[in-house]
Amino acid sequence: DGMNAYMAYRVSIKTSISLFKSQEFSVKRRFSDFLGLHSKLASKYLHIGYIVPPAPEKSIVGMTKVKVGKEDQSSNEFVEKRRSALERYLMRTVKHPILLKDPNVLQFLESSELPRAVSTQALSSAGLLRMVNKAAEAVNKMTIKMNESDAWFEEKQQHFENLDVQLRKLHASVESLVCHRKELSVNTAQFAKSAAMLGNSEDHTALSRALSQLAEVEEKIDQLHQDQANADFYLFSELLGDYVRLIIAVKVRPLQINDCLNCQTTFEVSFTNPLFVFQLEGKVEQGERDFEQISKTIRKEVSRFEKERVTDFKAIIIKYLESLVQTQQQLIKYWDAFLPEAKAIS
Amino acid sequence: MVKDGDTLTFLIESEKLSGTGVYHVDRTYDDFEWLQQHLFSQEEVSGIQGVIFPPLPVKAQVNASAKVIKQLGILGLGEWRAYCKAMETFVRQIAAHSILGKNNAVEIFLTSSDPPGRQRVRKNIFNRLSQAMEGMRKEGHKDVDEFFQTERDHNLVFTGCAKTAAERFLDVVQTEQKIAVACGHFSTALRLCVEQGEDPDKLDFSKVCVKLSEVFDSIQKNVTSVAENNVSTLGLGLDLESRYQEAEKEMLYRRTCKLVELETTRRNAEKAKPVKKAAMEEVKKAAETEFDHISGVAKEEIARLQAARVKMLQQALVQWCEKQLLTAKESADQFDQHLQAFRGMA
């Protein structure tokens, strides 16, 4: 408890991969450990063309609430959101065939003690603005030679920018949906209470009973609404949120490669969304052949990303549909049970 | 019902019990008010003040003010279908009433080709009857009859409960409508994600997006259907119940006012000087007779209302349950079809 306290997350692994010393084990990690891992992977792999899964978001407000021991609904939700995001981050990382073998990742998963990660501060907004301005200046100074590789990258960049806009729209409409579902749950609960009061003041016995039953049915339906709101939230909101971040990460690369053509350029990253921070700076002095290799890696990565995206999406949608069907079947049960009660009034 | 600029016109079809003809007339809200005012002003009918007058909904307009919309409650939703049903119920209740149905105005309202509402109305008794709510300080006046005291106490509680239940049900329906709109937005946003080109990965993703948007079209249909069922059955029922409880409240109050009047005349008769005594006794006797008549009518009306409302609520609850059951079954089928389609996608 208190400001120096931290939340520890248990990472449990079950594996049959020979890379690991044992088949089942678990370790405790803090949020800053995850950030540290990401920072190491990003600096190692991003500039040679790999799509590194972005770090889970840091939210000062949410974490502070938990630290000072405020035991309320929103801080529990926050921890659950974060836990869920961390799980997804790890899954994405280990699914990547190259990243899985990285010694940093292995150490993260196996070591009982990790050295405390430093420099996990998010950039301040002033620092970010400075970085963006520097990147814009650098781009203006360059002359970029176009050849067919460039065309592919330019198309991809455009494509990713479109995707970004689309996914943001989706994200916004899903959040609206989730918000209204929660509202519906509250309103249904309120109505259930008022129906119960009606039942209590009613003299006619059978009508009174039916009204009380009505109140109970509405309470059950309220629970269904809550479950549905959670399903909506977790399945879509987080997934879309993740994809929005992933898009940003992928956006970075084409810029870098364009810079590479001029060979001795210091490149920096430009952002469209200041929420996501990559501290990436480096000098590229690579020849034509290295560029070929990097561009091949990028194309493979993009294709892998797109396939994974579709598979992820389908799996999530199937789960969602299953929950929809289940909800309707529950409703059918409730209505079937209520109907005779309603008919019995006379 | 027809919309004509700012006014709503109702088309009423009625058939005489004696079988002498079918009548089609059109009426506006002013005509309904005319009818109501005529019924209020039947001074000559003894005990008229003991009648529970069928409640007329608030006047609706095409571009109604926020205040009017709030007063209308669930009747203000959608394309005035619920409102129309409520107006129909009003006419039915009046025509079926043993005392009110006999009034000449009813026949004129239902059969005359000239709209009756354009004539000036006698305001005096209308003012007295409907504005008996002025000076509510008499409401707490103790009754001489235990039956009525109980009824008044119960009505006070019940009016509040019914109004609250109707308002909260309205909240539920309005949130359901918001969810339907949000689903529509999400579905549209998904269709915008369809990408051009022959890239197989892109086509796959587009296919998933299109199929998912169809899922959300189904969800939208389901929620819209649920909301419509709510309005057309239980919503109308709760609204009518709430307005009838108010109507009973007004009747009981009129009777209480008469009681106060009666007790005043008794005191006057007692305290009167011999010169005036005979006259005062006359007044007292008249008041007593009238009060007895009113109480007699009131008792019958209360019994009638009790039977009618139980039946009405039973019908509403049964219809509501049956409709929601049907919607749930249809939706379960539709969602299941989508689920199978997704599972079948390679």
Side-chain angles (χ1 to χ4, degrees):
Chain A
D1 287 323
M3 286 308 291
N4 286 325
Y6 62 90
M7 192 65 105
Y9 298 89
R10 180 176 295 277
V11 179
S12 301
I13 299 126
K14 240 172 154 174
T15 177
S16 52
I17 302 176
S18 51
L19 279 173
F20 296 98
K21 301 196 194 101
S22 41
Q23 295 219 316
E24 270 191 54
F25 50 93
S26 76
V27 293
K28 279 208 199 126
R29 295 289 177 253
R30 306 172 55 160
F31 185 70
S32 53
D33 295 329
F34 285 83
L35 287 185
L37 174 65
H38 170 263
S39 154
K40 288 197 195 117
L41 293 177
S43 58
K44 215 167 151 181
Y45 291 101
L46 262 186
H47 67 281
I48 55 173
Y50 286 101
I51 300 178
V52 173
E57 237 171 271
K58 251 193 136 156
S59 165
I60 313 285
V61 173
M63 204 51 210
T64 313
K65 259 193 180 169
V66 176
K67 273 187 184 169
V68 296
K70 198 163 186 260
E71 191 60 51
D72 67 19
Q73 177 73 356
S74 63
S75 59
N76 286 337
E77 267 184 38
F78 173 81
V79 173
E80 179 50 34
K81 259 176 97 162
R82 173 164 280 193
R83 186 211 63 80
S84 185
L86 290 176
E87 187 177 304
R88 261 200 310 285
Y89 169 71
L90 267 190
M91 287 302 291
R92 284 232 163 82
T93 306
V94 300
K95 261 203 213 165
H96 196 299
I98 304 294
L99 294 181
L100 176 57
K101 300 204 191 96
D102 185 286
N104 288 305
V105 174
L106 295 176
Q107 186 193 40
F108 182 88
L109 292 175
E110 284 189 303
S111 273
S112 46
E113 286 285 332
L114 269 193
R116 268 299 302 279
V118 292
S119 64
T120 54
Q121 297 293 342
L123 273 185
S124 74
S125 51
L128 192 56
L129 209 50
R130 257 174 294 159
M131 238 172 94
V132 172
N133 285 334
K134 281 214 288 194
E137 271 176 48
V139 169
N140 282 335
K141 287 198 189 129
M142 290 187 303
T143 46
I144 298 170
K145 276 190 250 173
M146 300 291 279
N147 65 27
E148 64 170 36
S149 306
D150 271 355
W152 185 85
F153 282 121
E154 217 181 75
E155 188 217 312
K156 273 300 168 201
Q157 188 165 353
Q158 186 60 47
H159 164 60
F160 281 128
E161 276 172 12
N162 290 343
L163 200 56
D164 185 33
V165 167
Q166 290 161 4
L167 285 177
R168 277 177 205 284
K169 275 206 191 123
L170 282 174
H171 197 258
S173 59
V174 165
E175 284 201 326
S176 156
L177 195 59
V178 170
C179 168
H180 290 316
R181 282 242 203 249
K182 288 199 175 141
E183 207 187 314
L184 183 59
S185 162
V186 168
N187 289 342
T188 306
Q190 295 278 63
F191 174 64
K193 283 203 195 97
S194 66
M197 274 181 59
L198 260 186
N200 283 341
S201 3
E202 177 61 51
D203 283 335
H204 190 279
T205 325
L207 180 57
S208 168
R209 238 239 321 268
L211 287 171
S212 304
Q213 292 286 67
L214 167 62
E216 276 178 33
V217 169
E218 288 294 310
E219 269 170 24
K220 289 192 193 137
I221 291 179
D222 170 26
Q223 191 54 54
L224 286 181
H225 288 319
Q226 282 182 39
D227 293 342
Q228 187 63 60
N230 287 334
D232 287 347
F233 181 73
Y234 281 116
L235 297 188
F236 285 103
S237 196
E238 295 282 19
L239 179 72
L240 290 179
D242 270 354
Y243 271 117
V244 168
R245 285 200 286 260
L246 200 53
I247 294 303
I248 303 281
V250 177
K251 245 197 224 184
V252 169
R253 225 139 307 96
L255 278 178
Q256 298 170 25
I257 299 305
N258 284 343
D259 291 4
C260 258
L261 279 183
N262 283 318
C263 284
Q264 279 118 37
T265 316
T266 308
F267 63 85
E268 283 176 341
V269 179
S270 68
F271 301 90
T272 56
N273 184 341
L275 279 183
F276 313 115
V277 183
F278 295 100
Q279 299 178 26
L280 203 56
E281 219 181 272
K283 267 209 172 102
V284 186
E285 292 179 7
Q286 300 174 6
E288 193 77 27
R289 210 159 37 125
D290 287 336
F291 170 66
E292 284 299 321
Q293 181 56 41
I294 292 174
S295 87
K296 242 206 298 205
T297 308
I298 290 185
R299 288 181 207 237
K300 241 178 46 193
E301 279 290 277
V302 167
S303 180
R304 195 183 62 87
F305 163 72
E306 307 229 319
K307 282 205 176 63
E308 207 177 88
R309 175 174 62 149
V310 175
T311 315
D312 273 357
F313 245 146
K314 275 199 235 164
I316 300 241
I317 292 171
I318 286 175
K319 251 174 90 180
Y320 185 75
L321 278 169
E322 285 170 352
S323 83
L324 281 181
V325 173
Q326 223 186 16
T327 305
Q328 294 304 313
Q329 286 171 341
Q330 270 297 77
L331 279 174
I332 291 171
K333 280 207 197 102
Y334 296 155
W335 294 128
D336 266 335
F338 181 71
L339 191 54
E341 289 288 343
K343 286 190 167 156
I345 311 167
S346 57
Chain B
M1 194 197 73
V2 151
K3 242 195 295 189
D4 172 19
D6 268 348
T7 337
L8 300 166
T9 306
F10 302 89
L11 300 160
I12 306 181
E13 181 185 304
S14 48
E15 196 181 307
K16 268 213 161 135
L17 275 177
S18 53
T20 45
V22 179
Y23 298 87
H24 293 95
V25 293
D26 46 60
R27 299 284 179 254
T28 63
Y29 189 85
D30 289 341
D31 301 323
F32 283 81
E33 238 178 2
W34 171 90
L35 174 61
Q36 193 189 44
Q37 287 166 9
H38 261 277
L39 297 173
F40 277 154
S41 57
Q42 299 173 92
E43 298 183 298
E44 64 289 359
V45 178
S46 105
I48 188 79
Q49 305 214 26
V51 167
I52 301 175
F53 286 84
L56 178 65
V58 168
K59 178 166 185 175
Q61 286 160 325
V62 172
N63 294 313
S65 69
K67 179 169 162 231
V68 169
I69 295 202
K70 190 162 192 293
Q71 282 177 323
L72 281 172
I74 210 154
L75 299 183
L77 291 182
E79 298 293 311
W80 304 113
R81 250 178 310 179
Y83 188 78
C84 197
K85 197 92 197 16
M87 294 299 256
E88 184 187 321
T89 306
F90 171 74
V91 175
R92 276 188 201 279
Q93 300 282 39
I94 290 185
H97 196 282
S98 49
I99 300 176
L100 300 176
K102 297 202 177 84
N103 190 297
N104 208 21
V106 179
E107 169 121 14
I108 298 176
F109 180 85
L110 286 175
T111 60
S112 161
S113 42
D114 288 325
R118 317 303 146 94
Q119 310 152 27
R120 301 280 298 153
V121 175
R122 289 181 295 162
K123 285 272 191 171
N124 37 7
I125 310 303
F126 169 52
N127 287 346
R128 253 211 275 146
L129 270 185
S130 77
Q131 271 143 42
M133 303 308 276
E134 282 177 357
M136 288 289 285
R137 59 198 185 292
K138 296 189 192 135
E139 201 184 19
H141 188 95
K142 199 160 185 325
D143 211 296
V144 296
D145 183 329
E146 195 182 316
F147 170 79
F148 279 103
Q149 186 61 56
T150 315
E151 188 64 26
R152 281 162 62 188
D153 294 337
H154 184 258
N155 172 265
L156 189 60
V157 170
F158 212 76
T159 315
C161 287
K163 187 151 182 262
T164 306
E167 283 171 353
R168 297 212 173 143
F169 198 66
L170 175 63
D171 288 338
V172 170
V173 172
Q174 284 178 321
T175 312
E176 285 166 347
Q177 290 177 330
K178 283 189 214 165
I179 289 177
V181 170
C183 285
H185 285 155
F186 186 61
S187 176
T188 308
L190 277 171
R191 280 196 288 272
L192 291 176
C193 282
V194 172
E195 300 167 37
Q196 311 303 331
E198 286 128 23
D199 187 338
D201 293 331
K202 278 192 199 168
L203 285 178
D204 257 352
F205 185 65
S206 299
K207 223 168 54 171
V208 172
C209 285
V210 167
K211 281 238 121 12
L212 185 58
S213 92
E214 287 170 10
V215 170
F216 271 84
D217 286 337
S218 294
I219 297 179
Q220 184 188 40
K221 245 186 25 199
N222 163 269
V223 176
T224 307
S225 192
V226 167
E228 277 173 5
N229 295 343
N230 280 341
V231 171
S232 65
T233 57
L234 189 55
L236 271 179
L238 288 173
D239 170 79
L240 188 62
E241 166 77 357
S242 168
R243 286 187 293 121
Y244 252 109
Q245 291 298 326
E246 283 286 336
E248 185 187 344
K249 187 175 176 185
E250 288 177 17
M251 181 279 280
L252 290 170
Y253 184 69
R254 286 195 295 269
R255 182 185 158 277
T256 307
C257 290
K258 268 288 168 224
L259 175 62
V260 170
E261 218 181 275
L262 172 61
E263 290 175 349
T264 312
T265 63
R266 283 196 183 134
R267 280 198 299 274
N268 290 345
E270 273 176 51
K271 290 191 287 190
K273 301 210 175 83
V275 173
K276 289 262 173 87
K277 199 140 182 127
M280 287 292 113
E281 281 291 322
E282 281 280 326
V283 173
K284 185 189 86 169
K285 280 229 172 61
E288 271 170 1
T289 319
E290 200 190 342
F291 183 73
D292 286 339
H293 273 152
I294 290 175
S295 298
V297 170
K299 265 205 176 114
E300 282 172 11
E301 287 281 281
I302 288 169
R304 220 179 47 96
L305 177 62
Q306 181 63 359
R309 61 177 281 276
V310 169
K311 186 153 164 248
M312 185 272 291
L313 283 174
Q314 187 218 24
Q315 260 183 354
L317 286 170
V318 170
Q319 279 177 353
W320 179 63
C321 186
E322 284 173 346
K323 280 197 170 162
Q324 298 293 29
L325 187 52
L326 186 60
T327 297
K329 285 185 177 155
E330 283 172 356
S331 299
D333 271 340
Q334 264 209 319
F335 293 147
D336 198 56
Q337 276 176 23
H338 287 299
L339 179 58
Q340 299 315 323
F342 261 96
R343 284 194 178 137
M345 274 169 81

